[in-house]
Amino acid sequence: MQQQSPVISPFDAIMKVSSRGIQYWMARDLYKDLGYSTWEPFPGVIEKAIKACEGSGQDAIHHFRRTTKMMEIGKGGRRIVEDWFLTRYACYLVAMNSDTSKKEVDFAQTYFAIQTRRQEMSDSFLLTAKESRFKLRDRVKIANKDLTSTAKVAGVQNYALFHHAGHVGFYRMKLDDVKARKGISRTDELLDCIGSLELSAHEFKSHLTRESIKNKNIKGQYALEDEHKRMSKVVRNTVHNETGKFPEELPAEPSLKKLASMQRKALKSGPSP
């Protein structure tokens, strides 16, 4: 049986690597794979992405760099045109600020979100497992708080139902059923008893939902619930595609609250002899 060649994403095909091993993309290559037939509207998309980058506290100059290039214009003519060097994160922001009616944009959002998250998760492995979990747990709290604030402005009235929609989209079962399946006590918080991968996925789905709500200008309780559920399903499927397991199948970890309590007791009692 002939072995099939792996499918290469169009965004992998246009990716470039610098002499220092850094991956990057050129805007003049990217706009075509995002479904834009001409360059003219694309600089406006890039400007929106730059503002989003600055709004997230990042230094845009590290992710977006303007340049020029010579381009053939037919009949042997050439002229200087604008182009941009874009990092992976810049491409993600460009995709999030592109025309969502284009099917290519939906695919690009998922692709660059996954690739960006992979890099962040790879960096997190430099920490010990316990340190990583504590840091990620705090980040999930912040991400959930930011999502709630965005949802409030967009018209959410019942926050419990809004967050329940995301939970069901991610786990496909009730909270108590997830805990039972993982062997977590009903009195423990779920997010305190899951591993780094699962925590990262929770943070990711909150950020992804927040960005989607803002970019698509989604309003109203029911529409916001549907979007939270939809984006949570995207992250759920990503976890499964990359690990072969759904989130509810990932193993539980010792409670972070209990670990913190043990650390406090150890500090009070002093070092062991």
Side-chain angles (χ1 to χ4, degrees):
M1 183 176 179
Q2 187 176 5
Q3 187 175 5
Q4 293 182 333
S5 300
V7 177
I8 299 177
S9 160
F11 304 109
D12 287 330
I14 63 173
M15 180 187 72
K16 303 179 186 298
V17 181
S18 73
S19 59
R20 293 185 295 167
I22 299 173
Q23 297 175 350
Y24 68 96
W25 286 258
M26 299 304 299
R28 287 272 176 179
D29 297 329
L30 182 64
Y31 85 94
K32 298 174 184 177
D33 286 331
L34 287 176
Y36 287 87
S37 58
T38 63
W39 169 258
E40 281 66 29
F42 207 61
V45 176
I46 294 174
E47 290 302 324
K48 289 181 182 178
I50 290 173
K51 289 181 180 179
C53 183
E54 293 170 343
S56 69
Q58 297 271 355
D59 192 343
I61 197 172
H62 295 318
H63 298 283
F64 301 82
R65 183 162 298 179
R66 193 193 304 266
T67 186
T68 57
K69 62 185 289 187
M70 294 296 298
M71 188 177 74
E72 295 183 3
I73 57 175
K75 297 183 180 181
R78 303 179 74 193
R79 66 185 175 92
I80 298 176
V81 297
E82 174 191 48
D83 204 350
W84 289 81
F85 292 99
L86 305 171
T87 66
R88 184 189 297 106
Y89 181 59
C91 290
Y92 163 67
L93 292 177
V94 167
M96 292 301 294
N97 284 277
S98 293
D99 183 354
T100 55
S101 67
K102 301 179 185 297
K103 63 180 181 180
E104 295 90 346
V105 169
D106 188 50
F107 175 66
Q109 289 177 351
T110 302
Y111 171 85
F112 284 112
I114 291 171
Q115 296 302 321
T116 299
R117 195 65 196 141
R118 276 179 177 169
Q119 185 61 47
E120 290 177 349
M121 288 169 60
S122 176
D123 293 342
S124 75
F125 291 151
L126 297 175
L127 302 170
T128 67
K130 187 168 67 174
E131 288 173 334
S132 177
R133 285 182 65 212
F134 275 114
K135 289 180 180 293
L136 283 168
R137 180 65 179 96
D138 288 338
R139 284 166 52 173
V140 171
K141 288 180 181 178
I142 294 171
N144 287 343
K145 183 178 179 181
D146 290 343
L147 174 59
T148 299
S149 297
T150 298
K152 179 180 180 180
V153 173
V156 159
Q157 299 295 320
N158 190 317
Y159 297 98
L161 288 178
F162 173 73
H163 288 293
H164 176 72
H167 177 86
V168 172
F170 188 67
Y171 285 112
R172 297 290 181 88
M173 60 177 67
K174 295 178 180 178
L175 177 61
D176 286 343
D177 293 333
V178 176
K179 287 184 177 182
R181 179 158 187 169
K182 291 178 177 287
I184 298 172
S185 169
R186 296 185 67 174
T187 59
D188 283 326
E189 289 188 32
L190 175 66
L191 295 177
D192 287 334
C193 301
I194 57 178
S196 295
L197 172 61
E198 202 167 342
L199 283 167
S200 294
H202 275 279
E203 182 192 14
F204 181 30
K205 75 180 181 66
S206 291
H207 284 313
L208 206 58
T209 303
R210 179 171 175 263
E211 287 296 320
S212 184
I213 290 171
K214 292 195 299 182
N215 290 333
K216 297 175 184 177
N217 196 29
I218 297 171
K219 301 291 184 182
Q221 179 76 32
Y222 298 121
L224 290 164
E225 286 180 25
D226 286 343
E227 189 64 7
H228 195 184
K229 187 174 184 179
R230 185 181 78 83
M231 298 310 291
S232 296
K233 285 181 180 178
V234 169
V235 179
R236 170 186 175 82
N237 291 333
T238 298
V239 171
H240 181 260
N241 291 341
E242 297 298 319
T243 68
K245 295 181 179 181
F246 287 111
E248 64 272 15
E249 297 171 339
L250 296 174
E253 297 281 352
S255 167
L256 288 173
K257 284 187 177 179
K258 292 177 182 177
L259 288 173
S261 177
M262 291 170 61
Q263 286 181 342
R264 288 193 295 269
K265 289 180 179 178
L267 287 172
K268 287 181 179 180
S269 62
S272 301

